Each structure stands twice: as structure tokens, then as C-alpha cells.
Amino acid sequence: MKALPQISEAEFEVMKVIWKHAPISTNEITDKLTQTTKWSPKTIQTLIKRLVTKGALSYEKQSRVFVYTPLIEEKEYIGQESHSFLERYYHGDITAMLSAYIEDDKLSESEIDTLHSLLLKGARRD
């Protein structure tokens, strides 16, 4: 698996908008994020520039407008972050992680049922 860029929480919020609406212009990104955050347009533009520098986004100039496209896939990035979390906090032991969530009542009965179904489905594949 290729190493993906480290993205801050704020940059991740920008990426979520771009993943959902790409290709998308600077103004469209700014419009969407000013509705859900208290960030100024300048802050949003700074975050976009950082993501370009990190190699998470590409852009092309169309007339006088910059249009952005992600260079990394959302699923790939979230998978990497999930793996990092599991390694960092549970030493790669998913059973320990799930046990902690279940014991602390962080999973509902419905979520546990869904996980049970997924595990059964995975066992059938083998």
C-alpha cells in the first residue's frame, strides 16, 4: 500500500467536500464549507493550497477558475487512517478494539448485530 499524505482534521473536512463533489471549483468549496464551518474564505483557500502541496489534490485552471480533483480515494485514505488507529491504540488487535467498544456500551445492539452478520459473511468467504 502506498503511503498517503498526512491530513489534518481541517484538511479532511475540505477533502470530504471535494470527494463528494469533484471536480469542484474554489468558490464552490468555499460556499459549501462556509455553510458548515466558521472558517473564512481565506482559511479555506489556505487549506486547499496545503492539500495541493501534500499531493492530495490536483487542479486545473479553467478560464479564471481553479477546479480541484482528489488524487487519493476517500476509501483508501479512511482505510489507512483506520489501520493507523488500530495499530496505535490496540497494537493491531481488532478483537481488543471491539471488546473495548462493546464493554463501554459504545455499540448499540443493532451495530453488534451488523458486525455479527459481517463476521459470518467473512467466515463464509474462507
Side-chain angles (χ1 to χ4, degrees):
M1 171 168 43
K2 71 178 178 181
L4 300 177
Q6 290 293 314
I7 295 175
S8 70
E9 287 295 320
E11 292 164 345
F12 183 68
E13 291 303 312
V14 175
M15 286 301 296
K16 288 194 298 188
V17 168
I18 295 169
W19 280 320
K20 186 173 183 178
H21 302 285
I24 184 170
S25 72
T26 308
N27 288 341
E28 292 170 317
I29 296 168
T30 302
D31 289 345
K32 291 184 183 312
L33 286 169
T34 54
Q35 291 174 21
T36 59
T37 68
K38 294 181 180 181
W39 299 336
S40 72
K42 187 156 180 63
T43 298
I44 295 166
Q45 289 173 4
T46 299
L47 292 168
I48 293 168
K49 286 177 189 172
R50 284 186 196 163
L51 289 164
V52 169
T53 302
K54 290 180 177 187
L57 294 178
S58 68
Y59 67 90
E60 75 177 48
K61 192 170 183 182
Q62 295 178 357
S63 187
R64 296 177 57 186
V65 176
F66 287 92
V67 177
Y68 296 88
T69 305
L71 292 174
I72 57 176
E73 293 182 31
E74 181 177 20
K75 186 176 180 178
E76 183 180 15
Y77 183 76
I78 291 172
Q80 172 186 279
E81 290 300 300
S82 298
H83 181 75
S84 295
F85 175 84
L86 183 61
E87 285 297 321
R88 182 174 181 181
Y89 295 103
Y90 295 97
H91 307 291
D93 185 352
I94 196 164
T95 303
M97 183 186 80
L98 289 172
S99 294
Y101 273 76
I102 291 168
E103 289 169 12
D104 293 341
D105 292 325
K106 292 182 180 174
L107 294 177
S108 68
E109 287 297 322
S110 171
E111 290 168 323
I112 293 170
D113 290 343
T114 300
L115 283 171
H116 186 255
S117 296
L118 288 170
L119 291 169
L120 287 174
K121 183 178 173 183
R124 289 187 200 119
R125 274 197 323 230
D126 296 339

